């Protein structure tokens, strides 16, 4: 919406929408950092917004710990990567 307002020459509305989106993204990032979800679902039907969010280093870093496990035209489901460390039974050590 900020881009629409700016294109229409309404700088005050554009600034307002940018403030709203920044506050939303700050809260969403804090939520991801706090809860370390097993699954993250990303809606893909607004590519400009999705590219804007996932283009930010902080969200790219969050998703670096995940891998896509399912997708369709509207959503991608990411599952958290499982760390395999020393002494892990996945390496054959008990």
């Amino acid at each position: 919406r900020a881009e629409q307002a700016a294109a229409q020459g309404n700088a005050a509305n554009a600034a307002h929408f940018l403030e709203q989106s920044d506050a939303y993204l700050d809260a969403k990032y804090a939520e991801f950092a706090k809860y370390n979800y097993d699954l993250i679902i990303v809606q893909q039907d607004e590519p400009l917004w999705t590219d804007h969010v996932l283009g930010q280093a902080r969200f790219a870093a969050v998703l670096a710990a995940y891998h896509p496990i399912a997708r369709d035209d509207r959503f991608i489901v990411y599952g958290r990567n499982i760390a395999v460390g020393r002494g892990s039974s996945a390496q054959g050590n008990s």
Side-chain angles (χ1 to χ4, degrees), residues 11-93:
N13 277 347
H16 173 73
F17 290 134
L18 285 175
E19 285 177 19
Q20 283 184 321
S21 69
D22 287 347
Y24 172 79
L25 292 176
D26 289 346
K28 187 55 68 176
Y29 177 76
E31 177 186 332
F32 287 138
K34 181 177 181 179
Y35 293 108
N36 196 27
Y37 293 117
D38 290 333
L39 296 173
I40 295 176
I41 301 171
V42 177
Q43 189 170 342
Q44 298 287 315
D45 58 354
E46 292 193 33
L48 289 176
W49 175 250
T50 304
D51 291 348
H52 171 72
V53 174
L54 299 182
Q56 294 186 16
R58 61 187 175 168
F59 287 102
V62 166
L63 279 183
Y66 293 79
H67 62 281
I69 59 174
R71 73 176 63 220
D72 66 14
D73 292 340
R74 290 192 62 207
F75 301 98
I76 298 177
V77 179
Y78 293 89
R80 189 163 21 106
N81 297 332
I82 298 172
V84 179
R86 294 172 56 185
S88 168
S89 62
Q91 292 179 344
N93 299 338

